Amino acid sequence: MKAVLHQGKKPGVIMEISTGGSATPDGQETETPLASPHAVPGETVLHTLGSSLHGLSCSEATARLERYGSNALTPLKKEGALLRLLRQFHQPLIYILLASVLITALLQEWVDASVILGVVLVNTLIGFIQEAKALQAIEALAREMTTTATVIREGEKNSIPATELVPGDIVLLKSGDRVPADLRLLRIHDLQIDESALTGESIPVGKNTTPEEADTVLADRQNMAYSTTLVTHGTGLGVVIGTGDSTELGRISELISSAEVLATPLTRKINRFSHRLLYVILAMAAATFLVGTLRGESWFNMFMASVALAVGAIPEGLPAAVTITLAIGVGRMARRNAIIRHLPAVETLGSTTIICSDKTGTLTQNQMTVQQLLAGGERFQANGLGYDPRGAILQDGRPIAATDHPALKELLLAGVLCNDSRLKKSDNGWYIEGDPTEGALLVAACKAGLNPRQLQIEWPRLDAIPFAAQYQYMATLHDRGTARKRRVYIKGSVEKLLPRCMTALGTAGEPAELDIGVIEDHLQEMTTEGLRVLAFAQIDFPAEIDAICHENIETGLTFLGLQGMIDPPRPEAVTAVHACQAAGIHVKMITGDHPGTAAAIASQIGLDGAGKKSDKVPVINGAALANLSEQELMDTATNTVVFARVAPEQKLRLVEALQQRGNIVAMTGDGVNDAPALRRADIGVAMGVTGTEVAREAADMILTDDNFSSIEAAVEEGRGVYDNLIKFITWTLPTNLGEGLVIMAAVLGGVALPILPVQILWINMTTAVLLGLMLAFEPKEPGIMQRPPHDPRRPILSRRLLQRIGLVGVLLLAGSFGLFEWALSHGASEAEARTIAVNVFVCGELFYLFNCRSLTRSMFSLGLFSNHWLIGGVIIMTGLQLLFTYAPFMNRIFYSAPVDLFSWIPIVAVGAVIYTVVGIEKWLQKD
């Protein structure tokens, strides 16, 4: 009977087997249900799949390919480009602008209608280009699966496209291969696989073929190889248990496609604000029309008055201002190593309340570093960071030379010689060619004054036993070319090496008694600090020995010591985390690494919720998370700061749980396993250097330096952008309110309109571009990172700002309407009086602009000329307003008229009054 394994909801768990009604061509029955391929012997998996070590027959492989499809992710239906374009118009503010276009077209003001329509189209085009394509991450996943595979079919080895693999195929793996499908390993030789993109494990994982417990988490399944992971060492043979959508990668693809993309805080707030504004405008226009007609005015005149009111109350420049302000923020962030893929993400950073950060490479350097050493019964420390060999070996805080400590020198020598990696330097700094753990040993020797390359020449290698997962050690045989005995150096796990040791090396290099209890105490201290500890030993042989085997080193070894290493925190990340905590942002670590390592790094960074280093940081692992209810998960997600050994869907659940508590969540990641959570988060942050293409496609922001400090810098810029947006809205709305009130006052008073619709459009469009948009260039105010994040539940404008908007709107009403009537009473024509009223609005906006440079401080505390763009805008606006007033062609277009010099005195006085009143209001509102 033919069988295929289907993925269930749990990672890598095969839930059922679909069977046909006959035996396979190989004659093997396949009716036995299989729960978890990692939990049963490989022979059972082979039998269940109707396969053998000789592989499938070509005919059976073809039949299975026909039945189960190619080894590729199923593409989902895309949203068409036209639909995505049309959806850009589905915004309340765009509806208001489109209504403005219609109204101005009805008024046959074709220039104004064209200008407003142009604003709509520009906003729509920008949104269309910047919008995330929902299936980009899926397409990137599919591209990662386009590889070849070496398979055994009918007993012969063949190279085929990976897309042709089927369940039951026997696949061969070697160093450098990308695993083409999910495999249950059957045979291995020193096989190590880099699974960091899938699990978050920071170092390659040694593989074996031994069955695991059924509930073993994905990252700990050492008898499995998963699609798209990378073979870094050794060889292996495995049977395909899942292809295409049935792989772990396919399950993540499904998570990405099903993850809901939330609207940003700014989008949600502006949508609510726009809806309310729309209702207010319609209500004011309806009231104007109703009151006027009840007073006996003609329907047509009242309709035109209502149109004028609507045009005045609509903030035509707001969508463009939002887009341009965000775009300016994008440029600022790019200069601070943060590339924004979606414009609204700029502001989202300023509202972030929780940052869920990956550990490896983001909070840490992604460079293993030896920090603690034990040799001759003495403890030593190594300073310096990463692969840079500059640094020293310390004892009691003082630098020491390895030549003064024979036991230490021998320990470091063992680390150099029992080593297959190389320390190299490029224009971008030092790097390791080979295993990161071995690289750390080379760097430690350099810090002690040893020259690894010279030592390897002086001690030529004659033979080696490579590292194997079942033995957990590596051994090398060396000779110095003298009559002395040949020596074997061994490095490996403490558990495997210590029982083989008979003696230890004393402080002066002499044989000493082996005290296992003391060694285990030191080991406990190192592991408590999250260090990965390697043990080192040696044994001498006669000069005629030129090869070694496992039996040679079963016993009689001399214990040399321990070296403890860790991927250390970035110093700048520590500072950035504390800055985020000071800004009221909670930082949490979500990693696929081991709980002990995660807790140690969290402690060093200060992830205890208070910005202070603690001795022990509570950690919860993926196995514990899997057993929590939704309510328990929300509580745990809120109260816990470190999550280790978590699966992709658990990262997604954690993000969702935090969002359900009203948080704005930023999520960082670099692997395929991070993509679903990156997509669901309010802002997904991917690593630009080490990140996979899948992660980058799913994210809103990409860090070009993979550094957490860049996130903190981006948060700071985001807050600045949000501040400037609020400043613009606070500045522009009083004008719209004042214009609407002026129209209503004229209708209620039964007098001529002080400003015409075309003049309203002139005010709104020119001042928005030349005055209001200059606030987007306003520098960040001091203390921006010492205040809590914006509450996402609060409206975009506070009660205090609404009161200020109302106050300034009333002052503009009083000034413009009052001077309009004053001019008429002093013999001015309607055109001259309206020109004065228009200039009152522009001058009032100009003075109020300086108030809005800070919503709480005086402009003098910011520096009068600190925003050169604003000064330039004021100068140009002043020139345009003089043209509006005195240029004959402008008089014809906008029905304006020249006014005498004396008329400017009350105009400027109104502006000065507005500036003074708002300044007093700010002073009174101070805490």
Side-chain angles (χ1 to χ4, degrees), residues 15 24 252 259 755 817 918:
M15 299 303 294
T24 68
I252 293 173
I755 46 178
F817 197 87
V918 173

Side-chain angles (χ1 to χ4, degrees), residues 269-431:
K269 288 182 178 181
I270 286 187
N271 280 342
R272 288 195 297 266
F273 171 75
S274 300
H275 278 105
R276 292 171 183 169
L277 183 61
L278 179 61
Y279 299 146
V280 170
I281 291 172
L282 292 176
M284 291 175 65
T288 300
F289 180 81
L290 182 61
V291 170
T293 53
L294 290 176
R295 290 173 57 92
E297 300 288 343
S298 71
W299 285 38
F300 178 78
N301 288 340
M302 287 303 95
F303 176 74
M304 288 294 103
S306 299
V307 166
L309 186 149
V311 171
I314 292 172
E316 292 92 347
L318 182 55
V322 170
T323 300
I324 294 172
T325 302
L326 293 175
I328 292 170
V330 167
R332 288 178 174 176
M333 288 183 180
R335 290 191 290 271
R336 302 187 73 172
N337 302 313
I339 297 175
I340 302 296
R341 298 183 68 242
H342 308 136
L343 279 181
V346 178
E347 179 276 331
T348 307
L349 281 163
S351 304
T352 298
T353 58
I354 291 178
I355 298 175
C356 296
S357 177
D358 188 25
K359 176 184 71 68
T360 305
T362 307
L363 293 172
T364 66
Q365 299 200 16
N366 199 20
Q367 296 182 350
M368 296 297 287
T369 305
V370 173
Q371 292 189 338
Q372 299 281 343
L373 303 97
L374 172 69
E378 297 180 311
R379 287 285 288 271
F380 302 89
Q381 299 79 41
N383 63 13
L385 294 172
Y387 297 145
D388 191 333
R390 291 176 295 182
I393 304 298
L394 310 175
Q395 186 176 41
D396 299 327
R398 295 188 300 273
I400 56 97
T403 52
D404 298 331
H405 297 266
L408 174 63
K409 182 179 179 182
E410 195 68 17
L411 172 66
L412 294 169
L413 178 62
V416 169
L417 299 180
C418 192
N419 199 312
D420 288 330
S421 298
R422 295 290 181 270
L423 176 63
K424 294 189 175 183
K425 187 176 184 180
S426 69
D427 294 337
N428 296 323
W430 294 90
Y431 69 98

